[in-house]
Each structure stands twice: as C-alpha cells, then as structure tokens.
Amino acid sequence: MDPAATAALYSTHVLKDGDSFLVANGYGDVEEGSTGLFRDDTRLLSMFRLRLGDTQPALLSAAVTADNVFFLAHMTNRQLPPLGETAAAAHGLIHLLRARFLFEERLFERITLMNYGTNAFMAPLRLEVAADFRDMFEVRGQVRPARGKLLDAEALMGPNGVIFRYEGLDQVVRKSAIAFSQPASSVEGGTFEFLLQLVPGVEQSLFIEVGSEPGGPMPSRERHRDAAAKARKRMRSRGRRGGRVRSSGPLFDAWMQRSRADLALLTSELETGPYPYAGIPWFSTPFGRDAVITALQTLWLDPGIARGVLGFLAAHQAQEESSFLDSAPGKIMHETRRGEMSALRELPFGRYYGGVDTTPLFVMLAGAYARRTGDAAFVDALWPALIAATGWIERVCDANRDGFLDYARGENTGLSNQGWKDSEDSVFHADGRFPKGPIALVEVQGYAYAAFRAMAELAELRRDEAGMQVWAGRAARMQAAVEAKFWMEDQGFYGIAMDGDGALCGVRSSNPGHLLFCGLPNAARAASVAQRLMQNDFHTGWGLRTLASGQARYNPMSYHNGSIWPHDTALCAAGIARYGHRAAAVELLRSAFETAVHFDMRLPELFCGFRRVQGAPPIAYPVACMPQAWAAGAPFMLLQACLGVEIDGMRGEIHVERPHLPDGIDEVRLHDVALGGERIDLLFRRVGERVGMFVEGKGAGAPAVRLRS
C-alpha cells in the first residue's frame, strides 16, 4: 500500500449529532478498531465499506467541512474490467464523491459518480455493511464474560436495505436500519452491489440512510437535501452563540473558529440547556468535570453553556449513598452512560459519581456564573443543589484530620484515582510509591477553597450574613491548611497530594497551577510556582507537562505522568495571569497555537510531552480524543488570560487589566460580548510597546468598561 493510502486508512474523521457520532477512516469507511456509527454508547454500524468492483478507489482528498457538518471524500477509480458490452474503465476516469452528515440521530450519505471518459462504463459499486452492537467499553477493549445474541437480519424493502437486530443481556432489542434509494443488483450476506451505467458527463447518485429505526420514506435526493439544509442551519445557529473573536492574524482566526466549531459540534441541546459532551470517540456523553471546566473556559464569551451545565448537573445530583456508584447525597455526577454494560451494572458508569473534584467545581462555576451574569433568579433556583453540594464537601472535609477534601473509591469497579488525573498511576510519592488512601489532591483543595468563597459571595448576594461568615471562615481555614501542609519550602512548590497517613506526596506536577487559578496561594508562593512551571522541566515549548521531567514515574508518552493536556496548560496560564504574570500566559498561548497548527488547527485531548525540537512537530498521543471539549475551550481561556478581561454582570462592568496581545497579532476584536441586556464590542490594539483597549460599535462609549494599565 502506498504511503498516502496508508495515511488515509489510519486517519479518522468524526461527525456528531445529539447522542450519535460517527468515526470513519479517510476513505469514509468503517471497518476496524474504534471506527463506527455509535448511539447511546452502542455501535450501530461496525462495517460500512465501499468498493468499486474488487478494489478500493484511490483517494484524492478527505475532509470535514469547517462547520463540522459534512464529511467529503473525493476518490477516483482504479482500473476496472469490462462488464457486459461496456468497455473497461482505465484508472482515473470516474470521479466518486462520498458526502455524508448526521441529523436527528441518522446518518445521511450520498455517493455520486461521474464518468469523465468518452465511453460508457458499467461500474460495480459494492457496499459491505454490518452491525455488531458492541458496547463502547467493549470497543475500548473491555472483555465481557457473555454477550447477547445477534438476531436474524430483517429485509427492509428487499434489496433496498436491511435491519440488523441484537438482543442484549438486558432484554433490550437494539436495531440498526440501513436503507438505499434504489435496489441493489445483487445481495450476498451484508454485501450490496449496485451495477451503475455511467454515461459520459451524466451524474449518478445513490442515497443511503442509517439509523436505529427505519426512517419512513425511502432515501431520496429530496430527503437528503432537506435534512442537509436543516443540519447546516442548526450548526450555524450553535456557532453564533455568545461573543466572537476576530484578529489581525488569519491563521490565529482559523484556530479560534475551529475551536468554536468544535465546541458547537460537541454541544448537545438537552432539556436543561446546552451541554458540551466531553470528546469523541471515547467520551461522547455528559461528563461533569469536563463540562464544568469547558464552561469556565468559555464563560466570559458564552455564559449560556455554564447555565446549561449547571442545570443538568443539579438535575442529576446524587440523592443516596452507593459504594458501587461512589455516590452520596449532594455529590455531583462524574459521568453517565447508556450502553448495555452500564444498564446491567457490569460497570458503575450508568450514572457514576466517582470524581472528588466535580462537586466543588460545580459550586465554583455557580459563583463564577453569578458574577459573570448577575442572574440572581437562576442562582435562587440552584440554591438547594448548591447547599446540598456544599454540605457534601463539608462532611468530607470534617472527616479528614487536616480538613481536606479527600477520596477513596467505594468498590474496585470504580476509579482508583478521582481527580482529573484519574489513571491508576497518576498519584505517588517522590520515590514512586503509591500512597495509602484516602488521598487529598492539592488542586482539589483549591477548588474547595474557591467553592467556599463562591458560597460566601452568593450568601452575601442573598443577604444571608450568617452563611457568608460560615463559608468565608471555611475558605480561610482551607487556605491556611493548604499553605501549612502542601508547601515544599526547599523546592518552592506545592506537593501533589496528602496520603491517608497525613504524609505529603512531594512530587512536582502541574496540579498546583490549578491552585493559582483558584487564587489560594499568597503572592510570593504564587510567583515561585509560576516561575517553576515556566522552566524547562515543565514547559516543553508546546505546553506544560503534567509532571516535571526528572520526577519518579515521569514518562512523556504516558497518559498523565509527563504528557501535555491543553486544558491543563490553559488553567495554569489563567492562574499565572491571575497573579500578574501575563507575559507567561502569552508564551503559553503561543505554544498552544503553534501546536494546533500541526494538528490541523485542532488541539487534541493530550499529546506527548517531549521537548520541542526545531523543525519537528509535536508528538501525537495515539488514542487521544479529537475533538475534545476542554481542549477546544482552552484557546478561549488562554486568550482571556492574555487580555486580562473580567466581566462583572452584578455591577454591569467590564474590567480589563494590563492587556497583552498574542505574539504577531496587532489587533483582537471581541464582538457581541454580553453585559446584562447589552452587547458590547471591544478592540484591543497594539500601540508601540503597549496595548490599548477601545469600545466599538454596539456599546460605544459605554462607561461600564474599565481599563487598568
């Protein structure tokens, strides 16, 4: 196989709509590995392979459109033998276009062939289809002791399609219906062959639809066009939500627009509002931590995401104790799954609460949302959920000898580590030993501190003087305990965790950068942490490693022990900027932008933490999700850190403190920034060695904008 064909075979292209998503290779085929059409954590299409005769067409190009709606693969034929009375088709005479999209949980595909030769040809178009109905965790490698049974396929209008059926161990019959716009010339098992007469200059099209149920009328050009127009209109509407970024740099704008389009793709419209699903393929479902951090990243431009996330998480807050689910009253959900394995409780992830950080992050987000919008009515509606969440935090802290928020999984089926670095080997002592639980992570204490601060502010807003004093006091005690127990004076840095014996895991990781984001450290210690994070053992030139080189268990190819996660780098940058070190945030934004250039303007979930080498690209992590919500949100948090923009919806003010522009960018415009019921446009422009800020268009001359240089 030639190099281009090999690259296409192993590249992946994704589409998503609601709870359905599709992963296919560069040819548009589904045939192995993690490719497939999935809905509700179940693979509905495990084989969808196109051939012309016995050969795979030659790929010319493949891409997903900039708005993430359509996948397009342009191909041409290889040598085809004569069929019947028609001549043989030499290589390169037939143009084949696969165009597909997802809409209303259905896959729509159009296969178009055009003969650019001078003779008529007979083209044997073959489609091989199958559905294995495997649970997402099986696709990821989980081995089940038993599975349900594949039932006999049902005919769907004879040669016009097929319905695959599977009866799971949960007694649910799952279906996958495939329909064609014209009958196949022959059907053998799951292979449908269409003999198409290709007259020179005359286009031939086959329309296909795939869904969990038959779609009513058979596929047609009209159905395809109507659904395509609606899909594009809906995605355009999502992409227009919130404020927009424009700059003097076309490539920088392409990065921002790609990130915005990825967020629109990953965001599903739930009953409680917009909710960003975590990532494709492994995490295309509501996650708590990921969604909260994505909402924090985009809050300054689009508070609607935060409102949707808060509403959903409050509606799914734990009400009972369960060691299997790691749940307790008031706790906020970690993830939810809808597949067969979760339904049967083979795994706890149907609705799982094994995240120690999601609950304080939820309270943090509520406080940040209130400050950003001044939406007191929504806070009032959330108040019972916030009281319950804070109550859980308080109970866990009160049970810890030092007042820390710690974790220990309830059962072996759950996650052993329950912070954002949730792999089994991500928390350890300086000598590499794994700690005894319960474990208190340093950044989680920052989240708890910020949650108590948020509750104190919200209590003040509600004129609850007693509550304000209680939560402010808890925040102060948490701050003092962290400074006393986690600080490593000899290293000028915070350790990663305290173990169950009260011993510090004296490891230098990126976690303390999140502590800066929460505003817990004093200025001197924050400056020391910022300085250390920007040194070569952390900063690779592409971003910040999750673990400093030279530490025990450091591995730049690992998941959490030396790799680079863009959302982690963005949180650290925001924390560093919070303490006034804005030039470092500019450097980290530049690194992230230059990384995105090598990944088709899309930041992956993570990539390897090798040191940057001149002329060489960053090294991909093989099974990283892309797109991933908090990776797509990272550019917006990094830009906010550089510009120094804070929006105070309670007072109706926008504060800008010592703004910096990204390297090579002389202007950045923020369009339609919401402030109360108004929309404001802001222009940041480089003027000599300084950056000026101007109000333009809507809101021009508004006294609500404050600049501190």
Side-chain angles (χ1 to χ4, degrees), residues 375-388:
D375 188 354
F378 185 65
V379 172
D380 287 344
L382 279 181
W383 194 246
L386 292 171
I387 290 293

Side-chain angles (χ1 to χ4, degrees), residues 99-421:
R100 67 164 61 123
F101 62 93
L102 293 177
F103 179 68
E104 299 291 355
E105 313 286 0
R106 292 183 69 76
L107 167 64
F108 291 80
E109 178 153 334
R110 183 185 77 239
I111 300 174
T112 303
L113 296 93
M114 174 70 82
N115 178 0
Y116 286 96
T118 56
N119 299 313
F121 303 123
M122 188 69 75
L125 180 70
R126 293 181 184 172
L127 284 164
E128 301 171 54
V129 297
D132 63 7
F133 298 97
R134 290 196 177 272
D135 189 282
M136 174 56 75
F137 287 95
E138 290 183 272
V139 177
R140 292 173 64 178
Q142 192 88 16
V143 177
R144 300 179 67 188
R147 297 192 78 243
K149 57 184 177 180
L150 290 169
L151 305 177
D152 291 338
E154 295 179 353
L156 174 65
M157 301 294 291
N160 281 85
V162 63
I163 300 176
F164 295 108
R165 300 181 303 147
Y166 165 79
E167 183 178 356
L169 297 178
D170 56 357
Q171 310 305 311
V172 174
V173 175
R174 294 169 173 85
K175 298 180 181 180
S176 180
I178 304 170
F180 304 107
S181 60
Q182 65 186 67
S185 304
S186 66
V187 181
E188 184 176 343
T191 300
F192 292 75
E193 182 171 274
F194 302 84
L195 292 177
L196 303 177
Q197 180 80 19
L198 299 184
V199 177
V202 178
E203 185 179 275
Q204 286 261 30
S205 293
L206 175 68
F207 296 90
I208 308 168
E209 294 183 23
V210 185
S212 58
E213 295 287 347
M218 299 304 292
S220 66
R221 186 181 302 274
E222 293 70 30
R223 279 176 59 84
H224 188 93
R225 285 179 173 173
D226 181 63
K230 290 176 179 176
R232 175 156 272 172
K233 181 179 180 181
R234 185 163 65 183
M235 189 67 80
R236 188 180 299 122
S237 176
R238 289 181 194 167
R240 288 175 174 170
R241 189 167 47 206
R244 303 184 307 282
V245 177
R246 294 290 184 272
S247 78
S248 58
L251 203 57
F252 185 83
D253 278 2
W255 182 38
M256 289 290 161
Q257 290 164 16
R258 181 60 177 266
S259 301
R260 188 182 181 94
D262 282 351
L263 286 173
L265 173 73
L266 291 166
T267 299
S268 292
E269 299 296 330
L270 307 181
E271 290 184 4
T272 46
Y275 198 98
Y277 284 13
I280 299 173
W282 311 120
F283 309 119
S284 187
T285 188
F287 272 69
R289 175 193 303 124
D290 299 60
V292 170
I293 289 177
T294 303
L296 287 168
Q297 291 169 329
T298 56
L299 180 60
W300 65 303
L301 293 173
D302 186 6
I305 291 178
R307 184 185 174 105
V309 169
L310 289 165
F312 180 87
L313 294 178
H316 294 84
Q317 190 172 35
Q319 305 296 323
E320 61 185 4
E321 293 273 356
S322 169
S323 61
F324 179 69
L325 301 176
D326 271 317
S327 67
K331 206 172 180 185
I332 296 298
M333 182 195 77
H334 171 68
E335 71 177 288
T336 182
R337 297 283 185 172
R338 300 181 187 176
E340 179 187 357
M341 293 177 70
S342 296
L344 291 167
R345 294 172 74 92
E346 293 177 27
L347 296 167
F349 303 120
R351 190 177 294 171
Y352 181 58
Y353 294 85
V356 69
D357 50 358
T358 310
T359 306
L361 282 167
F362 169 78
V363 179
M364 273 180 66
L365 179 61
Y369 174 82
R371 289 191 297 275
R372 169 64 180 85
T373 64
D375 188 354
F378 185 65
V379 172
D380 287 344
L382 279 181
W383 194 246
L386 292 171
I387 290 293
T390 308
W392 176 80
I393 298 170
E394 292 170 341
R395 290 193 299 274
V396 177
C397 289
D398 289 345
N400 180 277
R401 74 179 77 197
D402 296 306
F404 294 138
L405 181 57
D406 60 22
Y407 67 88
R409 67 177 171 184
E411 297 184 16
N412 290 337
T413 51
L415 295 171
S416 56
N417 282 316
Q418 299 191 353
W420 85 262
K421 296 177 181 177

